[in-house]
Amino acid sequence: MLRPHAFVHRKQYFTVITSGLIHADWTHLLMNMFTFYFFAFNLEHYFVYLQCMKVDEVATVEAQRFSTILGHAKFFLIYFISMIVADFTTIIKYKDIPGYACLGASGAISGLVMSTIILAPAMGHSIRIFGILPGWLFGLLYVGYSYYAAKKMQDNVAHEAHMW
């Protein structure tokens, strides 16, 4: 788990990664995986497609494979960097509270959701949430709710992570 106090005062830096690999319960895990399923694959395919477009049609099989790997790597970087960056505001906010702890991949998942929404026009389609809500509006509402919930601090969810 990420314990901001331990991260700062005991230098437990590894917890920004390990906390993103565990979940509180099955509901938490399933919500993140459900969201991942609906957003991540489109984004990953887009990066692979873009990378492969840079390779000539007569390129060697090795060059084509390498392009595919680079596309997957770009997707992974967005996920991984989002997971780490999402914890920064939580660390800053709770660094002096020894008992505070958080976990989950929500920051990484939020990074994928927002990246997909931002890149949707470039991918050649628009994102619709629940079939009716435009992706850009969902993104704004989600960030607004996360900001509001972070200010209220009435639950043990690190809503700041969802914004970054």
Side-chain angles (χ1 to χ4, degrees):
M1 291 182 72
L2 172 65
R3 300 179 192 284
H5 187 268
F7 178 90
V8 171
H9 300 288
R10 288 187 266 177
K11 303 191 183 337
Q12 292 182 352
Y13 302 132
F14 63 92
T15 59
V16 297
I17 296 170
T18 58
S19 65
L21 303 175
I22 58 176
H23 290 79
D25 54 32
W26 284 103
T27 304
H28 186 203
L29 175 64
L30 289 174
M31 284 301 296
N32 275 332
M33 293 302 98
F34 180 77
T35 306
F36 183 90
Y37 177 79
F38 281 104
F39 285 92
F41 296 114
N42 282 336
L43 185 64
E44 184 174 21
H45 290 308
Y46 178 69
F47 284 131
V48 169
Y49 170 77
L50 280 184
Q51 198 62 44
C52 288
M53 290 301 293
K54 294 179 181 178
V55 177
D56 192 287
E57 287 183 18
V58 293
T60 64
V61 172
E62 291 81 20
Q64 292 171 349
R65 283 189 191 139
F66 184 69
S67 292
T68 301
I69 290 168
L70 277 177
H72 292 301
K74 287 178 181 181
F75 169 81
F76 175 75
L77 281 175
I78 286 181
Y79 185 89
F80 192 72
I81 291 170
S82 295
M83 182 173 66
I84 292 171
V85 171
D87 286 337
F88 289 155
T89 54
T90 304
I91 292 167
I92 292 166
K93 185 174 183 177
Y94 297 105
K95 70 181 181 303
D96 296 322
I97 302 173
Y100 184 83
C102 62
L103 53 87
S106 300
I109 300 297
S110 293
L112 296 180
V113 169
M114 294 304 172
S115 295
T116 302
I117 290 169
I118 289 168
L119 291 172
M123 287 192 278
H125 63 281
S126 65
I127 301 295
R128 295 256 176 219
I129 311 302
F130 308 118
I132 54 169
L133 189 64
W136 64 267
L137 182 56
F138 172 80
L140 287 176
L141 292 172
Y142 184 67
V143 169
Y145 168 75
S146 294
Y147 178 79
Y148 171 77
K151 290 291 184 192
K152 287 191 78 144
M153 292 177 22
Q154 290 185 338
D155 54 21
N156 290 325
V157 176
H159 292 283
E160 303 85 9
H162 300 156
M163 293 185 288
W164 299 106

